[in-house]
Amino acid sequence: MAVRPRIVRTVIDHEDWDDVTRDEIDDDDDVDSDFDEATYLRAFPDIAEAVRRGTLASGLAHFRLAGRTEGRLEKAEYLALSQTHAGPASPQVALDTLTISPSGSTLITGWSDDRFDQLTEVDLETRADSRHNWMAFPRLARGDVERTLETPARHKFGFLLVAAPIGGNAAPPIDPRAANAPVFRFASGAETRLHRVPVVASDADLRDLALAALPTAAAGELDPEVIYSILDQHVGVQIAAINRLIVDQQRSRRLISRTGPSRGRYRGTIVTTLRAGADQIVPRLALTAGGAGAEDYEFVVVVTNADQFEAASRAARVADATLGLSLTLILQPGGDPAGFGEDAAVDAARSDRLIFMDHNVIPRDLDWAAHHTALLDRAPITQTRLFGGMLYRPDGALSHRGYYFDRETSLLTRPNDVPYQANTVRLNRLVQPSRSGPRPGPVVGVPGAFLSIDRRWYETLGGFTRHYSRAAFEDIDLCLRSLKLGFPAWVHPLPMWHFERRPPSRPEPSKGGAILNAWLLHRQWDAMIVPDLIGLNPTLPGGGN
Amino acid sequence: MNAPCKVLLISLGHPDLVPGGSPVVCQELFDELRTRDDIECHMLAAVDRESGDVHQPKEGITGFDGRDGVYLLHQTDHDAWLHRNNEPMLVESFVALLRTIEPDVVHFHHFLSVGADLIGTVRRTLPSCRILFTFHEFAAICAADGHMVRRTDQSLCERASPVRCHQCVPQRSTDDFVLRKLWLEQQLRHVDRFTCPSHFMIEHYVNWGLPRDRISHVTNGQRSRVVRPILAPPDGQRKRFGFFGQLHDDKGVHVLLRAVTLLREEGFNGFRADINGGGIQHASHPIRREIEAFQEAERQRPPAERIVSFNGPYSLDQIQSRMMRVDWAIVPSVWWEIFGLVISEAWMFGRPVICSNAGGMAERVTHEVDGLHFEMGDPASLAAAIKRACLEDGLWQRLHDALPEPPSRAAMADGYLALYQAEDALAS
């Protein structure tokens, strides 16, 4: 029987993110009909170990690379196992969580006393033609199990299994309660099938459950190495894929209404995803659209909180009567995942320029739109393809004129051990005015709070990533993708007020979400950041910062 | 013959429905403009649920009591922080009214209850319309009742800043005040001409950021309230004093009561004080308790020992009878008191004014010429002024003889008409 191995990468090429799911279903080509992934790994522990370490993606990968030539399927170890139906007694396995969404996302947590017969594979058939198969997965320290078994804390009993649906958003829905019992296989060939009715949850709830498990999975250790190693073993990729799935699921569920004057095309589209009460819509629009040049721009407000839909609709009518601007209101339930509102707005935009403005950003200069237009008309395209402005706190201090990276060293304490010195790369804001004054220049990134980008370039870059948990780093992620193609973001002296403290602000991701976001950022970009982009004055195409 | 100039006055309330000086002034202007042949005047007054059955929150804008040219804006879902409307039907009704009347001039008397967003709505709906805005206090500058009195120590406030304002209204963040100012500035920028009834107010608004050359002084004016011949007061000492106004903190009635207590304690009892006005429910708890305790103590005294009489609220139709019972009007306000209509009313009946030495009171009443000042908020200073007013021979007559004529409503209307017809409009 052919097995579809899951792809596991420890260092992830960002270009592969969108292909995670596709890769998984494209590998089923030309495999010897006698090949069985589980048997193969059980028969050849050295290969299984290489898969666990991440050196090999799967047993199948080894088979294609060398095993076929070596005649591994004809070796006695493989033949003996493949012809054996009855194996030895299985080690103990316990499930804490078995949660499946109707789209097929799956979360399994639990533990196994596999000290003497290693757990090598977990298999879950969610419907007749779809199954999750985990050949490599993180093992977690479980203090509770260690205490129960009265064993020294040398063995990691726990496991954390996460899977996005095979086929992604295109996969047909499943009946989670009809899923087969998960099968746990061990190195000896023994296997255990645990019958348990799964908990049915939405993808979002399942994702949140998985994120909530992350801090626990690290057993209280906030050491990035520990946490990242857990995420590296498929968990991070799969949660990110679920994040994207959640966004994609919502895209078809939106209501769009337009008010005010309407033109065929506009000079720019000012996009705001409402992350506050709808009562802020009209004041924001009045302060953004009140000056010269604003008539050349259209406004798109995306509301993702269903509680605010009615108030937002009323606010749009008030805006129409009192401001008379071109307003598109998009009501799209689904909360606030990264890239969610922005995607919806881009779909409705009627211009070649997208300007993303947080609800708590307000131009300092009433005529900012005219200045923005002049900038597009006069500055070289390399300086305007993607750029930000100067954000100021309401007390007048500069709060953001772009991002920079620096190294951070911190001491992490470990139970019963010497402190561990962790070296990480940290993303920071430039908050000091430039010595040369508010002049334009390239930076490694600009904040999504105010970000102006050529629409075709936005689409070339693939838009804001949807892999992050809520919004975090999606702006620097976009800028780094642009930089990777040779075009750094610029900042221009367009001054904006940034009311960051005004509640309710954008909700912070959960602790687990923050862990995932940091992992996503670092795993995708650290190789690029270090060493070229470190420091206040990184070397960037088009001049230093 | 030229078509008449169409004027729409917008008031925070109608004087028949809500107390307060601003609605009275707006009504006076409306009544005067309706007498002018070359003016077609309309008035829109906000009304809220405090007006009972008159308030029709589902109607947007209606007429009022069959009165020609008068409309009510039925306020609902009003954002009292930013002074803006959340109810689309209301603003849509306003736009429809503008398109129906097509006024040449829209004259706002305040944005409280009305909504500052309606200023921009006028500009957007009728781009060539001239917009005037009359400040009746400091609501744009001060979010603490618009009085510019520091809630921290009750001192007069000279300037607003996010930190200072946050100290007075701690439930709002400093950022809130920045945003509030940005919003109000954005709405007020549509105004062609601002007016203030007192000169000192202009300085406050210039300090706040409005361009001086767009602010004019136009006095408040009233019709004469003299409906019967004014009888000469009896000969002898002038020792009857009257307070006219709301019984809440800023009007300072408690300062007068404390002055009475001081005089009584020193054995000076030979005077009387009438308290005319209501609204004690709007007073702060301590001030209300103080006033009510004083009232009760006074009631417990034998009639011959009583100094203070609480006469309750009054309508303008009753002002003559109330004024005729006193020799002096006391205006002890502990805020800036931007104009003080009661000063005009006192002058109508030949009553000199004893007032706090600040703001609009000090600007209008000239100390030792047509009235007396005392140190604002100081009961001892007021007690001394009362004692002097009772005892100094010839003082009352001297001040009485120097009283100016109160500004008439015609003079007020002429002042506004000059601005209505000025050529400095912002309108595109």
Side-chain angles (χ1 to χ4, degrees):
Chain A
M1 182 182 66
V3 172
R4 295 167 180 163
R6 305 199 72 82
I7 305 299
V8 177
R9 297 178 180 85
T10 51
V11 177
I12 302 150
D13 186 334
H14 75 278
E15 290 174 349
D16 293 336
W17 283 96
D18 293 343
D19 300 328
V20 169
T21 312
R22 190 172 61 242
D23 285 351
E24 293 161 2
I25 59 176
D26 285 349
D27 285 342
D28 195 9
D29 63 341
D30 235 12
V31 177
D32 192 305
S33 59
D34 293 332
F35 178 84
D36 182 82
E37 175 84 13
T39 307
Y40 195 76
L41 293 180
R42 266 182 254 135
F44 307 113
D46 56 329
I47 299 172
E49 179 60 24
V51 171
R52 270 191 293 281
R53 287 201 310 270
T55 312
L56 281 172
S58 64
L60 178 61
H62 177 271
F63 179 70
R64 286 175 171 172
L65 191 68
R68 196 196 316 258
T69 310
E70 295 169 1
R72 292 262 182 168
L73 300 193
E74 289 74 42
K75 288 186 181 295
E77 302 97 299
Y78 186 87
L79 291 172
L81 272 180
S82 63
Q83 291 163 8
T84 301
H85 298 288
S90 298
Q92 185 178 5
V93 184
L95 284 184
D96 298 328
T97 307
L98 172 59
T99 305
I100 304 175
S101 78
S103 64
S105 299
T106 301
L107 169 68
I108 302 177
T109 62
W111 61 272
S112 173
D113 181 7
D114 61 340
R115 283 172 291 174
F116 309 108
D117 187 2
Q118 189 174 9
L119 176 63
T120 56
E121 179 184 355
V122 181
D123 204 58
L124 175 68
E125 194 172 82
T126 52
R127 64 169 181 257
D129 60 344
S130 175
R131 57 190 268 235
H132 297 303
N133 176 255
W134 291 271
M135 302 295 294
F137 41 85
R139 300 306 301 269
L140 317 173
R142 287 287 297 259
D144 55 339
V145 178
E146 289 160 12
R147 285 189 293 276
T148 303
L149 299 177
E150 296 180 341
T151 177
R154 296 277 178 173
H155 187 78
K156 292 188 173 179
F157 294 97
F159 51 79
L160 172 62
L161 309 168
V162 185
I166 296 168
N169 201 30
I174 65 164
D175 177 4
R177 296 185 186 280
N180 284 341
V183 180
F184 295 80
R185 298 197 175 93
F186 297 85
S188 67
E191 66 178 43
T192 296
R193 188 179 295 268
L194 288 183
H195 294 276
R196 182 162 176 182
V197 177
V199 173
V200 181
S202 67
D203 287 301
D205 288 343
L206 184 143
R207 183 268 321 270
D208 290 342
L209 279 173
L211 290 174
L214 287 181
T216 309
E221 294 185 61
L222 295 178
D223 178 346
E225 278 193 13
V226 174
I227 295 174
Y228 288 4
S229 71
I230 294 170
L231 288 163
D232 284 341
Q233 298 175 79
H234 88 74
V235 171
V237 171
Q238 294 303 317
I239 297 178
I242 295 173
N243 274 339
R244 182 176 181 114
L245 176 78
I246 291 166
V247 176
D248 290 343
Q249 284 170 345
Q250 300 293 347
R251 293 189 72 172
S252 60
R253 301 173 57 217
R254 66 177 66 145
L255 182 67
I256 299 176
S257 61
R258 298 190 194 270
T259 54
S262 183
R263 294 189 201 170
R265 299 295 290 173
Y266 287 87
R267 192 60 203 266
T269 303
I270 298 163
V271 176
T272 300
T273 300
L274 188 73
R275 298 188 173 95
D279 60 335
Q280 297 194 23
I281 291 177
V282 174
R284 255 210 93 258
L285 290 172
L287 293 169
T288 305
E295 65 277 6
D296 294 332
Y297 291 77
E298 64 167 345
F299 293 79
V300 177
V301 174
V302 186
V303 184
T304 60
N305 180 353
D307 292 343
Q308 296 295 317
F309 284 176
E310 184 182 349
S313 299
R314 288 157 55 86
R317 283 175 60 192
V318 172
D320 186 35
T322 60
L323 304 175
L325 44 78
S326 175
L327 172 64
T328 300
L329 181 69
I330 301 179
L331 306 179
Q332 179 175 266
D336 188 26
F340 184 47
E342 289 76 8
D343 273 353
V346 172
D347 289 347
R350 295 171 290 184
S351 79
D352 295 326
R353 168 64 51 169
L354 305 170
I355 302 150
F356 298 102
M357 289 179 76
D358 271 2
H359 75 274
N360 54 16
V361 169
I362 288 170
R364 276 184 77 159
D365 175 4
L366 205 56
D367 298 333
W368 77 277
H371 299 314
H372 182 270
T373 299
L375 191 61
L376 298 183
D377 289 341
R378 294 171 194 162
I381 180 65
T382 51
Q383 298 181 13
T384 60
R385 186 172 273 139
L386 164 59
F387 70 92
M390 305 275 184
L391 302 185
Y392 292 86
R393 294 158 49 98
D395 62 13
L398 187 65
S399 76
H400 212 319
R401 64 175 179 89
Y403 285 117
Y404 74 98
F405 290 103
D406 69 1
R407 295 181 194 278
E408 183 182 55
T409 301
S410 54
L411 282 178
L412 301 172
T413 57
R414 287 172 159 170
N416 305 317
D417 205 346
V418 295
Y420 164 70
Q421 184 168 296
N423 298 307
T424 54
V425 175
R426 189 175 57 177
L427 181 66
N428 289 320
R429 300 170 168 196
L430 290 160
V431 295
Q432 300 300 323
S434 167
R435 288 180 187 171
S436 54
R439 297 165 64 89
V443 288
V444 296
V446 293
F450 177 81
L451 188 152
S452 174
I453 185 169
D454 177 86
R455 179 177 183 153
R456 275 176 296 179
W457 188 238
Y458 180 82
E459 289 167 351
T460 299
L461 296 175
F464 285 117
T465 176
R466 302 160 202 155
H467 291 113
Y468 290 91
S469 177
R470 295 196 186 279
F473 306 138
E474 83 274 33
D475 46 10
I476 186 68
D477 189 286
L478 183 77
C479 294
L480 290 173
R481 273 183 276 151
S482 181
L483 178 59
K484 190 173 183 183
L485 295 179
F487 296 100
W490 276 60
V491 286
H492 288 281
L494 280 177
M496 302 280 158
W497 293 118
H498 195 192
F499 293 87
E500 286 183 285
R501 297 193 308 149
R502 278 181 60 77
S505 60
R506 195 172 201 172
E508 291 289 325
S510 63
K511 193 171 180 179
I515 292 171
L516 175 79
N517 290 341
W519 175 81
L520 280 167
L521 181 74
H522 288 291
R523 281 294 185 259
Q524 290 179 95
W525 297 111
D526 273 6
M528 178 178 171
I529 292 166
V530 180
D532 295 345
L533 299 182
I534 295 288
L536 288 167
N537 295 292
T539 302
L540 296 167
N545 172 42
Chain B
M1 180 178 159
N2 291 334
C5 173
K6 289 190 277 192
V7 177
L8 174 62
L9 304 178
I10 299 181
S11 172
L12 69 87
H14 194 281
D16 289 359
L17 300 174
V18 294
S22 161
V24 168
V25 170
C26 190
Q27 177 73 49
E28 293 283 7
L29 180 60
F30 174 76
D31 290 342
E32 177 64 26
L33 293 179
R34 297 282 283 190
T35 68
R36 308 290 178 103
D37 290 339
D38 54 348
I39 300 293
E40 177 187 318
C41 192
H42 305 262
M43 183 167 76
L44 175 67
V47 58
D48 62 20
R49 61 186 174 192
E50 290 190 12
S51 295
D53 187 55
V54 177
H55 184 224
Q56 300 173 55
K58 295 181 179 175
E59 295 299 327
I61 291 175
T62 67
F64 177 41
D65 210 19
R67 304 181 196 193
D68 187 30
V70 182
Y71 312 91
L72 293 182
L73 178 81
H74 296 275
Q75 193 52 260
T76 182
D77 199 3
H78 188 74
D79 177 349
W81 172 248
L82 292 182
H83 303 287
R84 48 172 293 270
N85 295 287
N86 283 318
E87 174 51 57
M89 184 260 300
L90 187 141
V91 291
E92 289 161 357
S93 299
F94 181 65
V95 169
L97 182 73
L98 290 175
R99 293 198 168 126
T100 301
I101 297 176
E102 292 191 325
D104 302 295
V105 176
V106 174
H107 184 175
F108 285 86
H109 287 261
H110 228 310
F111 50 66
L112 289 181
S113 299
V114 172
D117 50 338
L118 296 194
I119 303 171
T121 305
V122 174
R123 176 61 71 229
R124 192 188 76 75
T125 308
L126 303 170
S128 61
C129 180
R130 188 166 173 78
I131 301 176
L132 264 75
F133 190 100
T134 294
F135 292 114
H136 286 278
E137 30 87 307
F138 304 112
I141 305 174
C142 174
D145 301 328
H147 282 181
M148 293 191 76
V149 174
R150 300 275 285 160
R151 286 182 175 172
T152 49
D153 59 5
Q154 282 68 56
S155 63
L156 294 183
C157 181
E158 298 281 351
R159 65 186 173 85
S161 79
V163 170
R164 285 169 59 82
C165 294
H166 166 68
Q167 289 168 338
C168 279
V169 189
Q171 63 270 32
R172 291 287 181 176
S173 73
T174 54
D175 290 6
D176 287 336
F177 290 98
V178 175
L179 193 62
R180 181 181 185 273
K181 185 177 183 191
L182 288 172
W183 160 256
L184 291 175
E185 284 176 334
Q186 163 64 7
Q187 299 308 313
L188 293 174
R189 64 188 284 272
H190 296 294
V191 173
D192 294 300
R193 176 64 60 174
F194 300 99
T195 75
C196 295
S198 301
H199 291 93
F200 85 96
M201 289 179 73
I202 296 175
E203 298 309 312
H204 283 283
Y205 278 101
V206 169
N207 289 340
W208 187 64
L210 291 185
R212 184 184 294 277
D213 62 1
R214 283 173 59 197
I215 313 178
S216 301
H217 171 259
V218 177
T219 185
N220 284 341
Q222 290 168 279
R223 74 191 72 187
S224 172
R225 295 289 174 184
V226 179
V227 294
R228 296 181 293 277
I230 299 176
L231 302 177
D235 291 337
Q237 290 181 315
R238 307 297 185 192
K239 52 186 183 182
R240 300 175 302 164
F241 300 84
F243 169 91
F244 300 83
Q246 297 286 303
L247 302 188
H248 54 64
D249 301 29
D250 293 330
K251 291 295 184 183
V253 68
H254 58 286
V255 180
L256 172 57
L257 300 182
R258 291 172 190 174
V260 170
T261 300
L262 289 175
L263 290 169
R264 180 177 267 147
E265 286 174 353
E266 71 176 60
F268 188 82
N269 300 315
F271 66 101
R272 296 289 178 267
D274 284 2
I275 307 297
N276 300 287
I280 195 170
Q281 68 274 18
H282 299 304
S284 68
H285 185 65
I287 293 295
R288 178 174 182 170
R289 202 166 50 186
E290 179 180 345
I291 295 170
E292 289 175 340
F294 187 100
Q295 190 173 7
E296 178 59 21
E298 201 72 0
R299 196 177 65 80
Q300 297 291 338
R301 294 178 185 278
E305 293 180 17
R306 294 176 190 164
I307 294 176
V308 178
S309 301
F310 287 84
N311 299 332
Y314 62 95
S315 70
L316 286 174
D317 296 337
Q318 299 170 285
I319 188 71
Q320 181 165 0
S321 63
R322 299 285 180 112
M323 278 288 176
M324 297 309 292
R325 298 180 201 171
V326 303
D327 303 305
W328 306 81
I330 294 179
V331 185
S333 295
V334 291
W335 75 292
W336 294 97
E337 196 66 69
I338 59 100
F339 184 76
L341 284 175
V342 68
I343 295 173
S344 295
E345 289 159 359
W347 289 350
M348 282 178 202
F349 298 98
R351 269 48 184 172
V353 172
I354 300 172
C355 64
S356 303
N357 59 345
M361 301 168 288
E363 183 176 312
R364 299 189 65 202
V365 175
T366 306
H367 185 48
E368 297 288 359
V369 175
D370 53 27
L372 296 176
H373 291 177
F374 66 92
E375 184 61 33
M376 190 184 74
D378 182 5
S381 180
L382 175 56
I386 291 172
K387 195 170 181 181
R388 181 185 169 200
C390 292
L391 300 178
E392 185 173 319
D393 287 340
L395 177 64
W396 183 90
Q397 193 63 50
R398 175 166 65 84
L399 301 178
H400 170 270
D401 293 346
L403 290 181
E405 280 291 316
S408 67
R409 75 179 197 189
M412 171 175 67
D414 289 343
Y416 284 127
L417 283 172
L419 295 176
Y420 294 167
Q421 291 153 4
E423 294 296 328
D424 60 348
L426 290 179
S428 56

